[in-house]
Every structure is written in C-alpha cells, then in structure tokens.
Amino acid sequence: MKKEGFLYEFKKNKALFAMAAPAFILVLVMQYFPMSGLILAFKEYQYNLGVFGSPFNGLQNFGYLFNSGTGWLITRNTILYNLLNLVTSQLLAVVIAIFITEIRAKYFKKITQTVILLPYFISWVVVGVFVFSIFNYETGLINTMINAIGGEKVNFYMMPTAWPIIICAFNAWKWTGYNSVIYIAAVTGVDGEINEAAEIDGATIFQRIRYITLPSIRPTLAALQGPSSQTRADTVAAMTAALPYMETEIQELAERTAEKLKKLTEDEFAGLVFLPAEDME
C-alpha cells in the first residue's frame, strides 16, 4: 500500500521543509497576520478598548466614507489608475522584453537588462524626492529651465489634471524593468524551432511576434495583470506629497470628522494627546 499524506511527505523531505520554513514564516508574519487588522473597517474604534475590543458597527464606516463625498472619488481613481497602468507599465514591459530577446549582441543585452531593472530597487520615497526635484515650483528642474529662458513658472502641485500622467509615467519607469525580466523568461521559453520554421517560410519579425510570441506568453500576461499593475496609495502619496487634491471633498470630510471628534469620550480624547500640535489644528 502506497503511503501518502502530509506527514509522510514531511518525514521524507525534512531538509526541504526546513529550508522553506524561514520563507513560510516570513510571509505568514509579514503578509497574513497584519490582515487581521482589516476587522477595524467593521468596528467603531475606541482608543480605550483597542482594535479587537471595540464594538462592531457593521457597514457604518463605509456609509460614512461614501457620504463624505470622497468614497466614489477614491473608487474611480483606483480603477482608472490601474487601467492606465495596464496600458503603460505592462504594455511597455512586453515591448521591451520582446526587443531585448531579439538583440543579438550579448553584452549590450546584459547591460540593457541591468539598467532597466535598477529603478525597481529604488524606494518610492526616493522616487518621490526625484519627482519633487523635477516639479517643485521654487527649485524644480523644469521651472528652473523655464525661468532661465524667461518664462513663467508652473505650479504642478496645484494642477490635479497633470498628475495622472506623471504618476503613470514614473510607475511605468519603476515597474517596467521588473516586469520585462519575467516576460523575457516567458519569451525565452517559446520553442525556437517554431520561430525558425516561420522565418524559413518567410514570416517577418512582426508576424512572428504577433502569431507566435504573444500567444505563447498569454498565460504570463494574465498572471501579471494583478499585483504588478496595481497603483498603491503610498505610491501616489510619495510622488504628489498629497497636495493635488480636490479641496471641496477634503473640506467636507474634515467637517464630518470634526463632528465625530466632538463625540469622543474623555478616555478616547486622551489618546490623541500624542499628536503634534499642527495635526490638531
């Protein structure tokens, strides 16, 4: 009788499980344990009771968010930014991956892969500094050049319509290299004999890409449309410094928050003492 089951595999491959244990524990602690905090969205948080001691209030927090006037704005921006990133970072990554695989010069190919991968290792905070150095009203690179030729400075941080383009451009710059490495691996896995046969039959490079390469990497394309195409809130905050907002929505939300703060008990209000003075104004 064949022995099966987890315990049998564990005893048989103790060394492999021991090697995988640190990675498993890291993912469990850093990715899954923090998800327990999601319960806070369905509670009326009280400082003296903590996260798990606070009473449930159902969907009232979501009602408060959408009634404040910012709920639909947040939802719309999230969907639109992610759709834009699908067109920018993902499409650009596929184009670069196919371009690199077609390069015959060995050293040029390695240098190109290295250069386009470097932005992925730069923190979004550092990227935010880059953006600020370029678009700052007083000392930014663009306004310095405009001022040098006698033009009038542009305050990009008061132009909300410009930031979708800026955010998507820098998001593509940071993610394209990482995504292209995965796509390069997928393109490299395509059977070379198929491309050789198509080339002998007279197919151009664009025809081979359209009818052989792209259909072959379709599963990889589908798998990467989720996590790597998402625009996170910290990404937007780091690049915009949270300045290009819609003032009416923010003011309405602030007024509703102020009304809610008036209902705090003394114990709850005491928990706000640690806030800096400028945050309480």
Side-chain angles (χ1 to χ4, degrees), residues 141-279:
L141 177 62
I142 294 179
N143 280 320
T144 300
M145 295 173 63
I146 293 174
N147 192 42
I149 61 176
E152 186 177 351
K153 292 183 177 180
V154 179
N155 192 347
F156 290 98
Y157 285 92
M158 296 303 293
M159 297 173 57
T161 54
W163 285 95
I165 299 173
I166 297 172
I167 290 171
C168 289
F170 276 89
N171 187 79
W173 171 75
K174 192 175 188 302
W175 276 101
T176 296
Y178 174 80
N179 290 337
S180 65
V181 171
I182 301 175
Y183 289 131
I184 288 171
V187 173
T188 306
V190 178
D191 191 354
E193 294 182 357
I194 300 176
N195 280 298
E196 291 176 3
E199 190 174 358
I200 293 172
D201 290 339
T204 65
I205 183 173
F206 296 105
Q207 289 175 329
R208 286 187 279 118
I209 291 172
R210 179 181 178 183
Y211 295 107
I212 299 175
T213 304
L214 290 178
S216 299
I217 65 172
R218 192 175 298 166
T220 306
L221 281 167
L224 287 179
Q225 297 316 301
S228 59
S229 63
Q230 294 177 359
T231 303
R232 292 168 42 175
D234 57 349
T235 301
V236 178
M239 284 193 283
T240 64
L243 289 177
Y245 52 76
M246 295 186 67
E247 185 176 353
T248 53
E249 275 77 3
I250 295 297
Q251 172 138 9
E252 186 177 352
L253 181 60
E255 291 172 356
R256 292 177 180 272
T257 304
E259 292 176 3
K260 204 162 189 178
L261 284 173
K262 293 178 183 177
K263 300 177 182 179
L264 290 174
T265 64
E266 291 184 3
D267 291 336
E268 293 170 338
F269 193 78
L272 298 177
V273 174
F274 66 89
L275 290 175
E278 61 267 24
D279 289 344

Side-chain angles (χ1 to χ4, degrees), residues 32-44:
Y32 285 92
F33 284 173
M35 291 181 68
S36 60
L38 294 175
I39 196 175
L40 188 61
F42 305 96
K43 288 195 170 190
E44 184 177 355

